[in-house]
Amino acid sequence: PLFREFLLKKAQESLGQGERSALQRNAGALLLTAGRPGDAAALFSEARDWEGLGDLITSHAQTLLGQGRNATLEGWLRALPEERLRASPWLLYWLGAARLSYSPAEAQTYFEEAFAGFQEQGERGPGSLLAWAGTLKSIHFAFSNFRAADAWLEVLPRLVGDPAALPPGEISAHVASAALAILTIHSPEHPDLPSWEERALALEPTIDDRACRLSILFNAGWLRAMRGRRGSAQLLLDPVPAADLPADR
């Protein structure tokens, strides 16, 4: 670190701003290639290479979240100028995902803004679906104002139609998980709930996202327990490690 600081100081003394920025951008690209995204993010930020930083965030966000490094992801996102952040639905989505566990209400605003941005761009695919799911997860996590979910549930048929038509994959699983969670708590008599339960459980074993898989199993188990099918609920939860189960189970 001391040698790095020495080299940076010498560069600042001998190079102009434009040359330093170009050097930092090139160094950031090399660090990224070498598998050091954290150092690359720092250099992109110092060089004010917002396009490079934004691309780095988009390509590494899911990995960081999977590692529980929400704070790192948020730090990278907060380094961007506000206008650049607001101009990108994907960056807003990732900020919502980074904040979801800490402040669901705040995350909801980012997901909603991201959804609006995707819709303005005419995007009806992965971005819109994930932003929709993030919004519903925010409402579920906050465990309040469930009526806010009603308008979003009305949007869903326009996005996906029949739950059974959702293709395999992580994005479909997030949509099915969010629909199952919010309907189980907010509207257990909803006519579409059985279809979402069936589709979510079909997708659960095919994905790698552990949090999404647990959400599907917990909510399907809770739904079955509420319906008096405790044995069926137990079968769903038996494979789940004890450390991941609620304390009052």
Side-chain angles (χ1 to χ4, degrees):
L2 290 175
F3 185 59
R4 177 179 179 274
E5 292 299 324
F6 171 77
L7 291 177
L8 287 174
K9 183 178 180 182
K10 287 297 182 182
Q12 290 172 350
E13 292 173 351
S14 59
L15 299 175
Q17 180 60 49
E19 293 174 305
R20 286 202 305 273
S21 295
L23 182 63
Q24 287 170 323
R25 284 195 296 271
N26 292 336
L30 290 172
L31 287 168
L32 194 54
T33 302
R36 295 170 60 184
D39 292 331
L43 283 177
F44 286 144
S45 182
E46 290 174 14
R48 303 177 68 81
D49 181 1
W50 308 128
E51 182 177 355
L53 181 57
D55 290 344
L56 183 152
I57 290 169
T58 301
S59 62
H60 286 77
Q62 187 60 61
T63 299
L64 290 173
L65 291 174
Q67 295 170 344
R69 298 172 63 192
N70 298 47
T72 296
L73 175 59
E74 183 180 357
W76 293 358
L77 286 158
R78 299 288 189 192
L80 292 165
E82 184 74 10
E83 63 273 14
R84 182 170 287 271
L85 176 63
R86 298 288 178 184
S88 169
W90 273 115
L91 294 177
L92 286 167
Y93 168 78
W94 291 121
L95 184 55
R99 294 297 299 158
L100 179 59
S101 299
Y102 305 103
S103 178
E106 179 188 356
Q108 183 179 342
T109 64
Y110 296 129
F111 287 133
E112 290 177 345
E113 193 171 347
F115 184 85
F118 286 125
Q119 294 293 291
E120 288 175 6
Q121 293 177 359
E123 202 267 21
R124 299 292 187 271
S128 291
L129 290 171
L130 286 172
W132 180 92
T135 302
L136 270 290
K137 288 179 182 180
S138 299
I139 296 170
H140 184 253
F141 277 33
F143 219 75
S144 63
N145 192 26
F146 285 110
R147 291 191 178 279
D150 291 338
W152 289 96
L153 289 168
E154 291 177 5
V155 169
L156 189 55
R158 176 165 54 86
L159 292 177
V160 300
D162 183 1
L166 278 174
E170 300 275 340
I171 294 172
S172 295
H174 280 286
V175 172
S177 171
L180 173 61
I182 206 72
L183 289 173
T184 296
I185 297 297
H186 174 53
S187 187
E189 302 304 321
H190 195 286
D192 292 338
L193 180 52
S195 296
W196 282 113
E197 179 193 12
E198 180 180 357
R199 191 62 188 132
L201 287 171
L203 290 167
E204 181 271 326
T206 71
I207 62 172
D208 296 323
D209 190 309
R210 182 167 168 271
C212 187
R213 294 185 67 183
L214 289 174
S215 175
I216 291 171
L217 292 174
F218 288 155
N219 285 294
W222 176 251
L223 181 62
R224 292 182 180 193
M226 286 195 302
R227 291 172 174 169
R229 299 166 59 194
R230 299 186 67 85
S232 179
Q234 188 70 40
L235 287 174
L236 281 179
L237 296 176
D238 274 345
V240 179
D244 291 324
L245 292 171
D248 60 350
R249 176 174 179 255

